[in-house]
């Protein structure tokens, strides 16, 4: 912690409860309806220190420059 979890609706319409990465854990970090993309990242380490890999979503941030 701190971390963000939330609901992401996929293009197929499935609602997924998921960890969200790629932004600060703050009240104004995300907006409802913001475009997200699926990423594969380390979730945590097991008791032997090996990484446990899983899926998360992160906001798609496009620069207008």
């Amino acid at each position: 912690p701190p971390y963000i979890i939330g609901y992401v609706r996929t293009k197929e319409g499935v609602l997924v409860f998921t960890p969200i990465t790629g932004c600060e854990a703050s009240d104004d970090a995300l907006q409802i309806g913001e475009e997200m993309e699926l990423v594969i990242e380390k979730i945590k380490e097991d008791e032997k220190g090996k990484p446990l890999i899983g899926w998360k979503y992160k906001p798609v941030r496009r620069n207008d420059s």
Side-chain angles (χ1 to χ4, degrees):
Y3 53 88
I4 301 173
I5 55 174
Y7 290 100
V8 172
R9 186 170 306 280
T10 67
K11 291 178 183 178
E12 296 79 18
V14 177
L15 192 61
V16 180
F17 189 64
T18 181
I20 297 175
T21 188
C23 58
E24 294 288 325
S26 65
D27 290 341
D28 60 350
L30 299 168
Q31 296 180 22
I32 293 174
E34 190 166 347
E35 185 178 356
M36 303 293 251
E37 67 180 334
L38 178 67
V39 293
I40 306 299
E41 293 184 349
K42 181 174 104 173
I43 302 292
K44 65 177 187 175
E45 293 180 356
D46 69 11
E47 63 279 349
K48 295 180 182 178
K50 292 182 181 181
L52 298 174
I53 306 299
W55 47 269
K56 299 179 182 180
Y57 280 83
K58 76 174 193 175
V60 175
R61 304 271 164 93
R62 295 192 171 101
N63 294 330
D64 293 328
S65 49

